[in-house]
Amino acid sequence: MKNGDYVPPRQSALGQFFDSMFLLALVFAALFAPLYLGLASGGKTELEVADKTTWSGLGQNAVMQAGWEKLGYTPETAAPLIISRFDYSFDQLALGVTALVVIGYFVLVVAFSKTEYREVIAERFGRRDR
Amino acid sequence: MTQTTTIHGEKISLLRVLGPGHVWALGVGIVLVGEYMGWNFSVGKGGAMAALIACWVAGLLYTCVAMIDSEVTSTVAAAGGQYAQAKHIVGPLMAFNVGLFLVFAYTMLEAANAITLGYLIQTVGGMMGMTDAAGEALVLHDKPFIVLTIMFLAWLNYRGVYATLTFNLVITAIAFLAIIILFFAVKPWTTEVLQHEELLTGLPYGWIGVIAALHFGLWYYLGIEGTCQAAEEVRSPARLLPLGTMTGIMTLLIAATMTWFICAGLMPWEYLGQAVTPLFDAARLMDSMPLMVLLFIGTIFSTLASANGCINDASRAWFSMARDRYLPQWFGAVHPKYRTPYRAIVFLVPVAVLFAYYAPLDQVITFSILSGLLGYTFMTFNVVMFRRKWPLGSIDRGYVHPMHPLPALVLLLLCSATYFAVFLGYGTQLMAMMLFFIIASLWFHFHRYRYVRRGDQFSMPWPRPQGDY
């Protein structure tokens, strides 16, 4: 280490514990909570079918019917799987906001990284006259 | 021949002993589980034909990933793969994020493997028709097996008795062979078993379903870029890294197409689109006990091998970040007896258990895919910055990928399409993931970075980067 190099402070055991707990809490709050609270299972719709109690009413031919039955399904138990569809209609504003968040995230990370990287290069190679 | 490099101030020598076969096995071994589960959710998002198109488009995305990553990793020949690249090319915060991408891609894949294994045991238990003393049907629950799988593999990793590359290679080869045997058992040259004409129903969602299917189409190949982690140990990285990676992608492309061909010709797409163990279900539909046993073993082996590798890789990424002080140093400890990053291994266990226990398989896989996708997006601007800061001729490169920046542009385009694919049906998870990484980034920049030694973050023997960095 050269003179003038940044010397990081020593982090206490308690500080390390809080940092670890913060990350764990962040994982559970941001990623797990939406799943656990059922907020992440939207976007589904149901297909209109003639009759949910017969294979033909569900639009299944003989080969499909044989497959379902071999897998242990009846028309009643297979119906929820057959009529369930993703709803791909979307709000353009929601799409725009999502795109903005993804792009904004990368812009933020690259911009902050740039300031940190300059410090790294300055220590590694010395400061550059501008 | 040995290569000496300096990592964290220690001289570490790695033997350059790996050939193209090893590189191929490393990639295919990590990814093969994707043929046994997860890929079929792309059928649910767009129908069977959409899944096949998505499989091939995702193959193009991974070809770009392999080309770009081969150049950067064969030059940044340091342990840590993309994490080390980000430290040297973009900066510490990017490296922190890339480290988290790796940890989450692997930890969520580990959870997905445990869910699949638990479900399979529950299904087979149900098929055996076991009863208790009173004659009541015994129901085998998947949850204890999910927890036990994660705990057992974490304990193996803690003890350092993790499967070697050779052992993983053997069980992966058996899992791969099981797919080949099933393929020939369905007699693909006749319509005796496979009934594509009766089961394929075109594009139930239209072309938007094809884009939506790209989301899970990535699952066929997710992790193939892991081949580049072996850059320091490959005999001739310039030739063998791209060769091993590209042949790995071709193998997976063939295996994926075979898997699709078998499953799409045996079961209705509405079932296939939500199945947890599609290849095992295909064997069930064949009415053949030997095939069922074979695919049961294949599924168990592929999930175990993958989960084991995931614990190993995720804990080492967490450990590396702690050694660089990006995370509390407490995690950077090595076990005095077993020489393993035991604290990192233990810390990640509750994360994997909780997601495996409570979250549905498709949601867990989506988090793993999103982590991978963020990493691929990073690669697009990383390679452009790499070429600008160190133009061709300024440093020795193991491999120079052709047609730069075309692969980066194609990759960016395909990544953008995949973000849109995830948005279709899984928009909440996408926003949750972005929220997590934004808060984590702010935490790192404004709080954690003060504990990081600046100059230590650049260890490659390169000249000062050019231009305005």
Side-chain angles (χ1 to χ4, degrees):
Chain A
M1 186 181 288
K2 303 186 293 289
N3 278 342
D5 282 359
Y6 175 75
V7 180
R10 187 178 165 78
Q11 193 178 26
S12 67
L14 192 66
Q16 292 193 46
F17 174 77
F18 277 124
D19 276 4
S20 308
M21 288 304 108
F22 171 78
L23 282 174
L24 211 52
L26 186 59
V27 171
F28 293 141
L31 303 184
F32 185 71
L35 297 183
Y36 190 71
L37 298 173
L39 302 174
S41 54
K44 287 278 178 88
T45 181
E46 284 196 354
L47 193 69
E48 289 291 324
V49 289
D51 182 4
K52 290 182 189 174
T53 59
T54 62
W55 290 118
S56 59
L58 286 165
Q60 303 294 295
N61 60 32
V63 174
M64 293 168 179
Q65 178 184 338
W68 283 110
E69 286 172 349
K70 267 191 181 178
L71 290 162
Y73 284 85
T74 62
E76 286 79 8
T77 55
L81 304 182
I82 294 170
I83 64 172
S84 175
R85 289 285 188 277
F86 281 99
D87 181 7
Y88 290 150
S89 60
F90 59 88
D91 179 8
Q92 292 198 354
L93 182 68
L95 178 65
V97 169
T98 306
L100 211 64
V101 168
V102 175
I103 295 166
Y105 159 73
F106 278 108
V107 169
L108 176 104
V109 171
V110 171
F112 283 170
S113 292
K114 195 171 181 175
T115 60
E116 295 167 357
Y117 190 72
R118 281 182 176 149
E119 294 174 355
V120 170
I121 297 301
E123 270 201 16
R124 179 73 170 75
F125 297 99
R127 302 212 173 265
R128 185 164 62 176
D129 295 330
R130 287 180 179 270
Chain B
M1 184 181 166
T2 61
Q3 164 97 350
T4 303
T5 187
T6 305
I7 302 166
H8 309 302
E10 297 168 16
K11 293 278 184 191
I12 297 171
S13 295
L14 293 171
L15 286 174
R16 286 195 179 275
V17 292
L18 301 184
H22 291 99
V23 177
W24 173 87
L26 202 62
V28 175
I30 296 166
V31 186
L32 192 66
V33 72
E35 318 295 325
Y36 275 89
M37 59 94 168
W39 67 271
N40 53 301
F41 293 131
S42 62
V43 176
K45 283 199 84 176
M49 290 305 295
L52 185 64
I53 299 169
C55 162
W56 291 338
V57 174
L60 177 63
L61 183 150
Y62 279 91
T63 305
C64 296
V65 166
M67 286 170 74
I68 291 170
D69 214 33
S70 292
E71 172 170 333
V72 187
T73 313
S74 68
T75 314
V76 187
Q82 288 84 15
Y83 170 69
Q85 294 175 18
K87 269 201 304 183
H88 287 88
I89 298 166
V90 187
L93 177 60
M94 190 73 247
F96 171 71
N97 277 269
V98 171
L100 289 182
F101 299 160
L102 293 172
V103 168
F104 281 103
Y106 289 126
T107 305
M108 295 299 168
L109 175 54
E110 174 196 343
N113 285 319
I115 293 171
T116 307
L117 195 141
Y119 176 86
L120 183 62
I121 291 175
Q122 186 183 36
T123 305
V124 172
M127 288 165 66
M128 288 167 76
M130 290 184 293
T131 55
D132 62 14
E136 292 285 316
L138 274 178
V139 179
L140 209 56
H141 287 287
D142 57 342
K143 302 297 186 192
F145 293 98
I146 288 173
V147 178
L148 276 174
T149 302
I150 294 173
M151 299 295 278
F152 175 69
L153 292 176
W155 176 73
L156 279 185
N157 276 272
Y158 184 100
R159 293 285 303 263
V161 194
Y162 60 89
T164 61
L165 180 62
T166 307
F167 177 66
N168 263 348
L169 219 160
V170 171
I171 61 175
T172 303
I174 292 170
F176 188 67
L177 200 63
I179 299 176
I180 305 277
I181 291 171
L182 181 64
F183 183 71
F184 284 103
V186 298
K187 300 179 187 169
W189 54 89
T190 71
T191 52
E192 195 180 316
V193 180
L194 300 178
Q195 304 280 329
H196 290 104
E197 278 195 22
E198 300 293 325
L199 291 169
L200 289 181
T201 53
L203 297 172
Y205 289 98
W207 283 97
I208 197 163
V210 177
I211 296 174
L214 197 54
H215 168 190
F216 289 107
L218 260 62
W219 199 244
Y220 283 112
Y221 315 94
L222 195 93
I224 185 73
E225 69 277 13
T227 51
C228 296
Q229 307 271 357
E232 285 181 80
E233 295 148 89
V234 175
R235 280 200 297 270
S236 169
R239 192 172 62 85
L240 299 187
L241 267 185
L243 182 70
T245 310
M246 293 307 290
T247 50
I249 287 178
M250 280 187 256
T251 307
L252 290 168
L253 198 59
I254 293 166
T257 307
M258 280 164 59
T259 304
W260 177 91
F261 193 74
I262 296 166
C263 294
L266 278 173
M267 57 192 95
W269 76 270
E270 296 97 330
Y271 176 82
L272 181 58
Q274 55 79 54
V276 177
T277 52
L279 274 175
F280 178 70
D281 291 337
R284 281 170 68 192
L285 288 166
M286 293 290 291
D287 285 330
S288 160
M289 184 56 80
L291 276 178
M292 276 169 55
V293 171
L294 184 68
L295 269 296
F296 173 79
I297 291 170
T299 309
I300 296 282
F301 277 8
S302 62
T303 50
L304 279 178
S306 173
N308 194 36
C310 286
I311 295 175
N312 183 63
D313 292 349
S315 61
R316 271 146 188 80
W318 196 262
F319 167 82
S320 297
M321 287 198 284
R323 288 284 295 263
D324 286 333
R325 301 186 182 201
Y326 290 11
L327 294 172
Q329 278 178 278
W330 186 77
F331 294 114
V334 175
H335 195 283
K337 185 176 173 188
Y338 303 124
R339 315 290 296 168
T340 54
Y342 66 115
R343 288 174 181 165
I345 292 169
V346 172
F347 184 77
L348 293 172
V349 165
V351 178
V353 167
L354 216 71
F355 278 88
Y357 198 93
Y358 288 108
L361 182 61
D362 61 328
Q363 314 267 9
V364 172
I365 287 177
T366 295
F367 280 137
S368 185
I369 287 172
L370 272 173
S371 304
L373 185 60
L374 289 164
Y376 306 144
T377 311
F378 148 75
M379 284 180 191
T380 61
F381 57 83
N382 183 53
V383 73
V384 172
M385 290 170 89
F386 181 52
R387 286 275 183 114
R388 280 194 185 158
K389 290 178 181 179
W390 293 279
L392 296 182
S394 61
I395 53 171
D396 286 334
R397 283 168 157 82
Y399 166 74
V400 177
H401 80 277
M403 296 181 284
H404 175 79
L406 189 63
L409 291 172
V410 174
L411 180 58
L412 185 62
L413 185 72
L414 292 174
C415 283
S416 305
T418 311
Y419 282 115
F420 180 56
V422 177
F423 173 78
L424 294 172
Y426 292 79
T428 312
Q429 285 93 319
L430 176 56
M431 285 301 273
M433 200 86 187
M434 298 319 301
L435 182 71
F436 169 80
F437 279 110
I438 288 170
I439 296 174
S441 296
L442 293 172
W443 173 80
F444 178 86
H445 184 73
F446 291 109
H447 167 69
R448 188 70 224 168
Y449 185 55
R450 83 179 69 150
Y451 300 107
V452 176
R453 291 186 192 283
R454 301 336 194 209
D456 289 0
Q457 304 314 305
F458 197 106
S459 55
M460 292 303 296
W462 294 347
R464 178 191 282 272
Q466 297 183 18
D468 178 32
Y469 48 78

